[in-house]
Amino acid sequence: MTARAHPLISLAAAAALALSLAAGAQAAPRTLSFAGYTWKVRPSADAEPGPNHWSSANAWLDGNGWLHLKISRKKKLWYAVELATVEHLGFGTYQFWIDTRVDNFYPNVVFGIFNFPAKQGLAGTNEIDIEFGKLGDPDAPQF
C-alpha cells in the first residue's frame, strides 16, 4: 500500500496518518519529516496490538516527498509499519489522502488512522479512530 500527499498538505494530513507509538525501553526510533511534522517510525519488533510484526523499513519518503507505507513478508511472516507524530496535535479538522484503492486491500489488511489528542497516549481518552479494512471477512464493507 502506498499513501502519498501533496507537499502543501496541511496539519490535517499529518495528524490523520498518526498511529500510536507504544513507548518502550529501546533506542530512539528513526524519524521522518513529512508534511511539516516529525514522525517517529515504530522500531522493528514483535509487539502489540495483536500478534503483529513491525518493520521500520516499511516507511519512507520518495524523491517527491511523498510518504510510502507498505506491508512486507519475510520468512512466512507479515510486517507492518506504524508512524506517530512527535507533537501532540489535539482536536481539530483533519484531512488525509490515500493514493490507493482501499476497497482492494487483502481482507486481513487494516489501515488505521488514529489521533490521541491527550498527552496520555494509549491510556488517554478521546481517541479518534478511522480504519479501512475488512477485518478478515472478504465480503465485509471496508470502512
Side-chain angles (χ1 to χ4, degrees):
M1 175 186 69
T2 300
R4 54 185 195 168
H6 189 276
L8 297 177
I9 203 164
S10 68
L11 158 75
L17 288 173
L19 301 175
S20 66
L21 178 67
Q26 302 176 12
R30 179 172 72 97
T31 61
L32 295 173
S33 294
F34 173 70
Y37 293 90
T38 300
W39 298 82
K40 297 179 281 186
V41 181
R42 185 176 191 155
S44 299
D46 298 343
E48 294 290 334
N52 287 311
H53 311 284
W54 305 97
S55 174
S56 61
N58 287 349
W60 72 94
L61 299 173
D62 67 20
N64 293 319
W66 292 36
L67 175 66
H68 296 263
L69 307 173
K70 75 173 187 175
I71 298 171
S72 61
R73 187 171 182 168
K74 183 178 179 182
K75 297 183 181 179
K76 299 184 181 181
L77 295 176
W78 292 100
Y79 290 82
V81 66
E82 183 175 273
L83 303 179
T85 57
V86 172
E87 301 85 359
H88 295 281
L89 303 176
F91 293 108
T93 301
Y94 298 96
Q95 297 176 344
F96 58 94
W97 292 266
I98 301 171
D99 191 33
T100 194
R101 290 190 49 189
V102 296
D103 60 319
N104 285 339
F105 285 175
Y106 184 77
N108 289 332
V109 170
V110 176
F111 178 63
I113 304 167
F114 302 87
N115 183 11
F116 293 99
K119 291 186 178 184
Q120 297 105 325
L122 289 174
T125 59
N126 303 317
E127 171 188 344
I128 299 169
D129 179 1
I130 300 169
E131 293 185 354
F132 299 95
K134 297 183 178 191
L135 304 174
D137 181 353
D139 297 320
Q142 58 271 10
F143 305 106

